[in-house]
């Protein structure tokens, strides 16, 4: 937990999760909404998304560097190719990861006994915070907020029974 007004939470390679107090305080998150964020970050850790991403980025970098060397381009060309790779391909990987973390995280929080409908209210709060000025860091690498809320709503019939079963035990 980092005491900061920033609206962010993330998972580092190796699975350490950083949660900023600003996310809880400024968006006035409920326990259920915090559980949805935690479920999302725990899913990144369980699926080792950051390790996947680091190795994909490293593999791409060395492929680009090798290509540039073979064709006699300088390091400048390799750098430009690297930047292009980052903006075109890496973003798409991370969006796939984000969708997976949303799906898996919602299931984890429901199984832990937290109402998964909080996923909808969480993202509505995020959208509201996003509407004025710069978007929260947590949102920046993300699928559009609307498609995200839609995905969560589509998942509710699957995860609500898990939540209800967890509450009965
Ligand atoms: Zn994420």
């Amino acid at each position: 937990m980092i005491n900061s007004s920033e609206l962010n939470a993330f998972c580092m390679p190796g699975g350490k999760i950083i949660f900023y107090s600003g996310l809880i305080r400024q968006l006035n998150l409920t326990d259920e909404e915090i559980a949805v964020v935690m479920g999302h970050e725990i899913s990144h850790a369980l699926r080792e998304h950051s390790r996947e991403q680091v190795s994909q980025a490293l593999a791409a970098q060395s492929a680009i560097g090798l290509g540039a060397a073979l064709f006699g381009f300088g390091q400048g060309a390799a750098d430009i190719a690297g930047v292009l790779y980052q903006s075109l391909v890496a973003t798409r990987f991370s969006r796939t990861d984000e969708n997976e973390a949303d799906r898996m995280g919602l299931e984890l929080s429901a199984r832990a006994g937290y109402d998964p409908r909080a996923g909808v209210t969480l993202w509505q709060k995020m959208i509201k915070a996003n509407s004025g000025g710069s978007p929260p860091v947590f949102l920046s690498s993300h699928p559009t907020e609307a498609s995200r809320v839609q995905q969560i709503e589509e998942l509710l019939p699957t995860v609500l029974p898990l939540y209800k079963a967890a509450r009965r035990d």
Side-chain angles (χ1 to χ4, degrees), residues 40-41 44 98 142:
H40 177 100
E41 300 306 334
H44 279 314
E98 289 305 323
H142 279 165

Side-chain angles (χ1 to χ4, degrees), residues 9-11 37 40-41 44 49 94 97-99 101-102 123 138 141-143 148:
F10 60 90
C11 180
V37 178
H40 177 100
E41 300 306 334
H44 279 314
H49 283 155
S94 102
D97 289 350
E98 289 305 323
N99 282 329
D102 273 353
W123 285 105
F138 190 63
S141 64
H142 279 165
R148 193 155 210 172

Side-chain angles (χ1 to χ4, degrees), residues 6 8 22 38 116 153:
E6 221 176 298
N8 200 11
M38 283 304 293
E153 280 171 342

Side-chain angles (χ1 to χ4, degrees), residues 55-88:
S55 54
Q56 278 163 353
L58 284 177
Q61 277 304 335
S62 50
I64 289 163
L66 188 65
L70 283 175
F71 291 103
F73 299 134
Q75 184 56 38
D79 287 345
I80 291 166
V83 169
L84 277 176
Y85 168 81
Q86 282 301 327
S87 57
L88 296 175

